[in-house]
């Protein structure tokens, strides 16, 4: 089954049509949940990334900061994924030809990959080299900001 | 000159028109506004959560507020500058929306809350910031900040929702 077939099946499924039939207020609620999730995620990543650069809350250890923010990151990701899927499914086929939708998908995959590998490793290392810390911080923050940017662009280039 | 005439002048200006019609500039400004907001409001939320004892409760407030202040202000500068540009580009559509004025009102209230916090508690932060249980007034300021900035985000998101379509 091609991606387009999958998108068509999602959109025309009973669930897709049910969500698509909800009113404007429901859509606005989803958009807001998406923004709240984004604020939680980006602010947490920014806090840890600044610390990896040796600025911001530098009196705290990287480990302490990553532990204190991990709950916010999880909540943020859950809100983003849940609201994102509910926004996507009822209009799946309209996203298919949008370049920025696919850029966002690729950037998101890359950001998640970095988060589960380099980010996890560096925030749990006892004494990471400053070079590795900076590289991970800029990669993580850069990728997540790019995901947000690509997401904002989707609506402007349909 | 009425507010609407002022908005019309901005909207019709060469700068406003070129911003609005630019295929790239407008989405980029929107994107920067969003990222500036995530950083400024997001970092404020962490300070608020500390005031409420929900984030790094074992660290003194002083050691969270002081190092984050320049980053908060940088985030707000980006959000404010891009917000002004967005206003210039869409002024006539925005000034007819009550929700836009609610947003401005909530920003003013959030600013007053922050100013009051600085005046009442910030000047003698070293006398209380180490205590595990903070005075009630400080918690109230934290709740007010969380609520008001959330309302700013909510009303802000409703602006394009109610006007662009």
């Amino acid at each position: 089954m091609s991606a387009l077939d999958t998108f068509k099946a999602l959109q025309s499924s009973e669930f897709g049509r049910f969500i698509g039939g909800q009113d404007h207020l429901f859509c606005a609620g989803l958009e807001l949940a998406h923004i709240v999730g984004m604020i939680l995620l980006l602010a947490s990543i920014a806090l840890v990334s600044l610390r990896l650069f040796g600025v911001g809350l530098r009196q705290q250890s990287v480990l302490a900061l990553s532990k204190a923010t991990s709950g916010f990151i999880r909540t943020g990701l859950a809100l983003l994924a849940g609201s994102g899927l509910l926004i996507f499914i009822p209009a799946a086929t309209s996203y298919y030809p949008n370049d920025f939708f696919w850029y966002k998908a690729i950037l998101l995959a890359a950001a998640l990959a970095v988060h589960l590998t380099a980010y996890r490793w560096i925030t749990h290392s006892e004494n990471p080299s400053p070079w590795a810390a900076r590289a991970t911080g800029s990669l993580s923050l850069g990728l997540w900001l790019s995901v947000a940017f690509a997401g904002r662009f989707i609506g402007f280039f349909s | 000159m009425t507010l609407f005439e002022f908005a019309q002048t901005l909207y019709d200006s060469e700068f406003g028109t070129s911003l609005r019609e630019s295929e790239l500039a407008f989405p980029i400004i929107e994107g920067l506004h969003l990222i500036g907001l995530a950083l400024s409001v997001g970092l404020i939320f962490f300070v608020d959560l500390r005031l409420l004892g929900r984030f790094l409760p074992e660290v003194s407030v002083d050691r969270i507020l002081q190092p984050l202040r320049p980053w908060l202000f940088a985030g707000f500068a980006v959000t404010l500058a891009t917000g002004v540009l967005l206003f210039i580009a869409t002024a006539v559509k925005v000034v007819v929306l009550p929700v836009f004025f609610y947003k401005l009102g909530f920003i003013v209230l959030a600013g007053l809350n922050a100013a009051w916090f600085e005046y009442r508690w910030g000047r003698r932060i070293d006398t209380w910031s180490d205590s595990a249980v903070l005075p009630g007034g400080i918690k109230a300021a934290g709740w007010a900040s969380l609520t008001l900035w959330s309302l700013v985000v909510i009303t802000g998101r409703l602006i394009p929702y109610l006007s662009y379509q």
Side-chain angles (χ1 to χ4, degrees):
Chain A
M1 196 144 101
S2 73
L4 184 57
D5 289 334
T6 314
F7 282 19
K8 278 181 181 162
L10 277 174
Q11 185 170 341
S12 57
S13 68
E14 204 171 320
F15 181 71
R17 282 181 289 130
F18 171 73
I19 298 298
Q22 301 301 308
D23 60 7
H24 270 46
L25 210 62
F26 182 78
C27 298
L30 289 178
E31 302 260 3
L32 274 173
H34 213 62
I35 295 187
V36 172
M38 193 197 74
I39 290 175
L40 291 176
L41 176 72
L42 286 186
S44 302
I45 295 291
L47 211 55
V48 177
S49 295
L50 288 177
R51 176 63 188 82
L52 288 171
F53 273 91
V55 294
L57 297 184
R58 59 180 171 193
Q59 289 155 325
Q60 314 307 317
S61 73
V62 171
L63 182 62
L65 265 191
S66 76
K67 272 187 181 159
T69 50
S70 68
F72 296 108
I73 291 178
R74 267 196 297 272
T75 311
L77 280 174
L79 277 173
L80 284 164
S83 58
L85 281 172
L86 292 179
I87 293 168
F88 164 72
I89 289 172
T93 55
S94 70
Y95 289 103
Y96 184 80
N98 194 311
D99 285 342
F100 285 95
F101 172 77
W102 295 102
Y103 296 153
K104 179 177 181 178
I106 293 165
L107 288 164
L108 176 60
L112 282 172
V114 167
H115 192 73
L116 295 173
T117 55
Y119 178 90
R120 173 168 292 183
W121 173 75
I122 205 89
T123 53
H124 287 78
S125 314
E126 283 291 325
N127 262 321
S129 81
W131 183 87
R134 287 197 187 103
T136 308
S138 33
L139 197 59
S140 173
L141 186 61
L143 280 170
W144 283 117
L145 289 180
S146 307
V147 174
F149 235 100
R152 185 65 276 222
F153 268 55
I154 292 174
F156 284 103
F157 298 89
S158 42
Chain B
M1 186 151 74
T2 67
L3 179 64
F4 191 80
E5 284 166 350
F6 174 66
Q8 190 75 55
T9 312
L10 287 179
Y11 189 84
D12 292 338
S13 69
E14 207 177 315
F15 184 63
T17 308
S18 58
L19 270 184
R20 183 169 56 252
E21 290 174 356
S22 160
E23 208 164 282
L24 264 184
F26 195 77
I28 288 176
I29 296 168
E30 277 268 13
L32 288 174
H33 193 62
L34 191 74
I35 286 167
L37 163 125
L39 298 183
S40 54
V41 172
L43 292 179
I44 281 243
F45 279 174
F46 280 119
V47 175
D48 295 339
L49 289 169
R50 172 59 191 91
L51 296 182
L52 300 174
R54 306 287 171 90
F55 175 68
L56 293 175
E58 69 285 356
V59 179
S60 79
V61 175
D62 201 22
R63 290 182 169 224
I64 290 179
L65 187 54
Q66 306 296 357
L68 287 184
R69 202 174 261 137
W71 300 97
L72 279 172
F73 281 123
F76 273 114
V78 172
T79 315
L80 179 68
T82 50
V84 169
L85 292 176
L86 289 174
F87 178 75
I88 294 173
T90 60
V92 270
K93 291 180 187 169
V94 161
V95 288
V96 294
L97 295 174
V99 75
F100 172 69
F101 296 96
Y102 287 132
K103 174 176 179 176
L104 292 187
F106 290 133
I107 292 174
V108 170
L109 289 176
L112 287 175
N113 179 56
W116 178 81
F117 174 81
E118 288 290 339
Y119 172 77
R120 176 78 177 79
W121 304 102
R123 288 182 308 171
R124 46 194 188 89
I125 195 164
D126 45 325
T127 62
W128 56 266
S129 76
D130 288 329
S131 20
V133 182
L134 298 174
I138 290 174
K139 283 195 175 177
W143 276 118
S145 172
L146 264 180
T147 311
L148 288 167
W149 286 116
S150 300
L151 287 168
V152 172
V153 172
I154 292 170
T155 46
R157 183 60 190 96
L158 289 173
I159 293 172
Y161 203 76
L162 296 172
S163 75
Y164 293 175
Q165 318 152 348

